């Protein structure tokens, strides 16, 4: 690297040359759980947390997740023993292809079951021939609906399949009306199947069309729900309306033709229309209905009873007898533990806290495996779409991805497991001054948090004072858990300001001081080494050892060469200024805001009830629908799952 007093100076004479990985800025560990494959469990006394690498793969838009997973699995098996050494274990920690396949299979099973059950019920009353007509009409209706789905660009997923199950009981109505009327005409008049079909369709055609349009009018407005839930729900009303339209066409076109072919040799079921009125079912039905349709005291008493039942059903909400939620909890096979240490915490401390939490989670019987990410984020999942977990970086953050056994192999729901593990995990976090959240995969569109209080105010001090009060109310409300806020603690900051007069006297340029500090603290690349034994070029990086750059005194001992060749200590050229590091500022619609977040768990697991309980404890302005004005007094805007619930209930109500 140079010559000194006529002798060559080698790099090893002035620096410690290390050939290895760069400084650790993040850690990824893997541990099997009690429900894991026995081959993955380490021997007794061995730390179950082992270094790991997570490889995340995403499918292209429109691709089949199950096929992508199958192709990736085949590739993985092909490289075993060739690219993967025997000591490297590969575990699939997330398989959304299998999840999608399972959900689709479950929905298809329910769909087939619904069709068969409807057919059996119809067959009991109209005979097997009438049931067969209905059995054929439903698949024809769904086939046409799925074809239009394809033209609209909708994929076959849980939402579109749910739409078909949702309308299964409705789409058969048109066919049942037509087939039942054909059977009745044949039984009453003994006419041929062709004549009975024409007469039956002519008789019930108009009311059937009106009934179908009425159902479409009730379902189709769901397509105009706004907000985050709009695109999520839209395939359901579109699919239901299409299915109803096609069911009407099938009932008028295919239904009579099938009835003509199948009922042609079946004969009638009775000797005339009078036989129907003579049945016991008809007599009971008429005896109950006729008095209620007349203007009698009994009819008015019946209407009053219906009104009381309506009032009682509405009273279930203020009485907290029902959970006012957007969607019920789903039974997932994964959850996440988000860990936030105070700003300024070292990576080693954060990793130790995460390891302590992971070690306890590894004792939960339903856990198959878990992955620990310190200093970085886990691969983005459904929650991360809105919460931006993929942007979490720094030595003070960590999260633990927890995988559970299949829901068919455990009795507890995933939400019940989350409630069970929250207490012990929070105890560990409280001892280590960590903020920890147990995050479940939502059944619907994700939100920043279940409970979100947006705190606005004219000044930073006013916002912080109100946010601190909101946080206290959150902590004091039963059933509100995982309380946190997006406020960073003030961190001390030391600024090494160049004394330009001293630097000029010593013949050292200010840029030289800045460059030296940058090289010492952050390091700098000095080129690349093209070694024959390396698959890729190796970066040559210059940087002070950690022990020599951990304090201002260490940095002050660095020496810089002046123009005269003299070595000047860095401490002679700079002055240390104590200040505070700037914090992150959050804005929503250009207004400064502080977010206070929490979740709900307990007896009333509904954000609506939690908000109502907390509203009386806050003396600030509280808003439920719109943001405050730009010059407003300190105010709290309730958001989170409540906002989605309000938007959907509002639009559906309209």
């Amino acid at each position: 690297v140079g010559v000194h007093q006529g002798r060559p100076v080698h790099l090893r004479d002035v620096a410690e040359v290390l050939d290895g990985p760069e400084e650790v800025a993040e850690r990824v560990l893997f541990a099997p759980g009690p429900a894991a494959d026995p081959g993955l469990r380490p021997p007794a006394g061995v730390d179950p947390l082992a270094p790991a690498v997570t490889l995340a793969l995403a499918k292209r838009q429109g691709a089949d997740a199950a096929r992508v997973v199958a192709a990736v699995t085949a590739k993985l098996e092909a490289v075993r023993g060739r690219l993967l050494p025997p000591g490297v274990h590969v575990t699939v920690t997330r398989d959304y292809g299998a999840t999608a396949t399972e959900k689709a299979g479950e929905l298809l099973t329910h769909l087939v079951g619904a069709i068969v059950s409807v057919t059996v019920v119809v067959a009991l009353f109209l005979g097997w021939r009438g049931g067969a007509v209905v059995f054929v009409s439903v698949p024809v209706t769904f086939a046409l609906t799925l074809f239009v789905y394809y033209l609209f660009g909708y994929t076959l997923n849980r939402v579109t399949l749910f739409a078909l199950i949702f309308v299964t009981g409705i789409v058969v109505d048109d066919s049942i009306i037509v087939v039942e009327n054909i059977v009745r005409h044949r039984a009453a008049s003994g006419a041929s199947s062709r004549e009975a079909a024409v007469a039956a369709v002519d008789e019930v055609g108009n009311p059937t069309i009106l009934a179908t349009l009425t159902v479409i009018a009730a379902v189709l407005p769901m397509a105009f729900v706004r907000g985050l839930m709009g695109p999520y729900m839209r395939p359901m009303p579109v699919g239901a309306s299409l299915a109803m339209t096609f069911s009407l066409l099938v009932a008028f076109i295919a239904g009579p033709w099938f009835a003509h072919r199948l009922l042609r040799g079946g004969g009638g079921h009775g000797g005339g229309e009078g036989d129907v009125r003579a049945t016991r079912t008809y007599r009971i039905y008429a005896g109950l209905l006729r008095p209620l349709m007349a203007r009698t005291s009994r009819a008015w008493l019946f209407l009053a009873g219906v009104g009381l039942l309506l009032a009682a059903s509405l009273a279930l909400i203020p009485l907290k007898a029902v959970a006012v939620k957007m969607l019920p909890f789903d039974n997932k096979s994964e959850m996440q533990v988000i860990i936030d240490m105070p700003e300024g915490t070292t990576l080693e401390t954060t990793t130790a806290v995460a390891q302590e939490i992971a070690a306890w989670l590894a004792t939960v019987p339903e856990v198959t495996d878990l992955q620990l990410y310190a200093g970085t984020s886990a691969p983005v999942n459904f929650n991360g779409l809105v919460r931006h977990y993929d942007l979490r970086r720094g030595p003070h953050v960590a999260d633990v991805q927890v995988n559970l056994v299949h829901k068919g192999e455990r009795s507890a729901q995933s939400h019940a497991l989350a409630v069970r593990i929250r207490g012990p995990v929070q105890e560990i976090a409280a001892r280590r001054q960590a903020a920890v959240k147990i995050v479940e995969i939502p059944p619907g569109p994700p939100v920043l948090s279940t409970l979100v209080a947006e705190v606005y105010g004219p000044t930073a001090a006013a916002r912080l004072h109100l946010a601190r009060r909101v946080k206290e109310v959150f902590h004091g409300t039963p059933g509100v858990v995982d309380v946190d806020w997006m406020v960073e603690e003030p961190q001390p900051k030391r600024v090494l300001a160049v004394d330009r007069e001293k630097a000029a006297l010593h013949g050292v340029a200010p840029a030289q001081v800045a460059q030296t500090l940058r090289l010492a603290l952050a390091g700098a690349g000095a080129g690349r080494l093209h070694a024959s034994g390396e698959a890729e070029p190796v970066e040559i990086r210059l940087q002070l050892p950690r022990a020599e750059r951990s304090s201002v005194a260490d940095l002050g001992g660095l020496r810089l060469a002046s123009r005269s060749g003299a070595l000047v200590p860095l401490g002679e050229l700079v002055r240390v200024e104590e200040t505070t590091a700037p914090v992150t500022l959050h804005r929503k619609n250009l207004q400064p805001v502080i977010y206070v977040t929490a979740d709900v768990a307990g007896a009333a697991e509904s954000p609506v009830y939690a908000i109502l309980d907390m509203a009386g404890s806050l003396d600030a302005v509280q808003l439920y629908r719109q943001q405050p004005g730009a010059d407003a007094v300190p105010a709290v805007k309730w958001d989170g799952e409540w906002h989605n619930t309000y938007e959907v209930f509002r639009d559906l109500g309209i």
Side-chain angles (χ1 to χ4, degrees), residues 205-450:
N206 288 340
T208 304
I209 294 174
L210 180 62
T212 303
L213 294 178
T214 303
V215 174
I216 294 176
V219 174
L220 188 59
M222 290 174 60
F224 301 98
V225 171
R226 291 165 285 177
L228 197 61
M229 280 295 293
Y232 189 82
M233 298 177 61
R234 195 158 295 126
M236 287 187 281
V238 172
S241 300
L242 288 172
M244 287 300 301
T245 302
F246 289 131
S247 71
L248 182 65
L249 297 177
V250 170
F252 286 164
I253 300 172
W257 185 84
F258 282 128
H260 165 62
R261 304 293 295 180
L262 291 177
L263 300 178
R264 185 163 49 187
H269 283 294
E273 189 173 357
D275 295 339
V276 176
R277 299 180 180 274
T279 60
R280 181 183 179 187
T281 302
Y282 182 86
R283 291 197 303 270
I284 295 175
Y285 180 74
L288 289 173
L289 199 62
R290 279 187 177 133
L292 300 180
M293 298 177 66
R295 293 187 177 181
T296 61
S297 58
R298 185 183 300 180
W300 289 109
L301 184 63
F302 172 75
L303 290 177
V306 172
L308 289 175
L309 290 176
L310 176 61
S313 64
L314 295 176
L316 294 176
I317 296 178
L319 293 176
K320 301 183 181 181
V322 295
V324 182
K325 279 182 61 65
M326 187 62 256
L327 290 171
F329 292 109
D330 199 358
N331 192 9
K332 302 288 187 179
S333 294
E334 62 176 307
M335 64 182 65
Q336 216 169 348
V337 180
I338 302 297
I339 304 170
D340 291 292
M341 299 293 292
E343 286 78 7
T345 305
T346 62
L347 179 65
E348 290 73 19
T349 302
T350 303
T351 304
V353 175
Q355 284 179 314
E356 186 175 353
I357 293 175
W360 184 88
L361 290 172
T363 63
V364 178
E366 293 86 354
V367 173
T368 58
D369 55 71
L370 51 88
Q371 302 85 52
L372 185 156
Y373 301 86
T376 185
S377 63
V380 63
N381 55 14
F382 191 48
N383 262 323
L385 297 177
V386 171
R387 303 186 183 190
H388 301 297
Y389 285 158
D390 55 318
L391 301 180
R392 287 165 51 84
R393 295 288 188 276
H396 64 285
V397 301
D399 62 61
V400 181
Q401 180 77 27
V402 183
N403 292 323
L404 309 173
V405 296
H406 189 270
K407 60 183 180 181
E409 302 175 13
R410 51 182 163 87
S411 57
Q413 299 277 314
S414 60
H415 177 67
L417 287 174
V419 174
R420 190 211 303 171
I421 69 174
R422 178 173 279 110
V425 169
Q426 293 286 12
E427 289 181 7
I428 298 174
R431 293 199 306 267
R432 307 299 292 268
Q433 289 78 47
V436 173
K437 294 181 280 292
I438 309 297
V439 180
E440 303 176 62
I441 304 297
V447 291
L448 188 62
S449 187
T450 303

Side-chain angles (χ1 to χ4, degrees), residues 508-592:
V508 178
Q512 185 180 352
V513 177
Q515 184 179 5
T516 302
L517 280 173
R518 187 182 302 111
L519 176 64
L521 293 172
R528 292 190 173 186
L529 176 65
H530 297 273
S532 58
E534 298 290 344
E536 297 178 355
V538 179
E539 183 182 8
I540 302 173
R541 189 167 188 82
L542 302 178
Q543 190 171 18
L544 276 182
R546 185 183 293 272
E548 298 181 18
R549 53 183 167 90
S550 299
S551 67
V552 175
D554 293 330
L555 295 175
L558 293 175
R559 295 181 180 273
L560 287 76
S562 65
R563 293 185 185 138
S564 63
L567 297 179
V568 183
L570 181 68
E572 295 288 333
L573 305 175
V574 299
R575 61 178 181 273
V576 181
E577 298 177 355
E578 300 287 344
T579 181
T580 302
V583 297
T584 303
L585 300 178
H586 297 276
R587 293 179 181 270
K588 183 172 181 180
N589 294 340
L590 302 181
Q591 294 191 49

Side-chain angles (χ1 to χ4, degrees), residues 177-179 181-186 189 191-206 251-253 255-261 263:
I177 291 172
V178 172
V179 173
N181 208 34
I182 293 174
V183 172
R184 187 178 66 85
H185 270 270
R186 289 207 65 197
S189 61
S192 65
S193 59
R194 179 187 296 271
E195 294 172 347
V198 172
V201 173
D202 180 64
E203 184 178 25
V204 299
N206 288 340
F252 286 164
I253 300 172
W257 185 84
F258 282 128
H260 165 62
R261 304 293 295 180
L263 300 178

Side-chain angles (χ1 to χ4, degrees), residues 41-49:
R41 298 174 191 166
V46 178
D47 187 0
L49 288 166

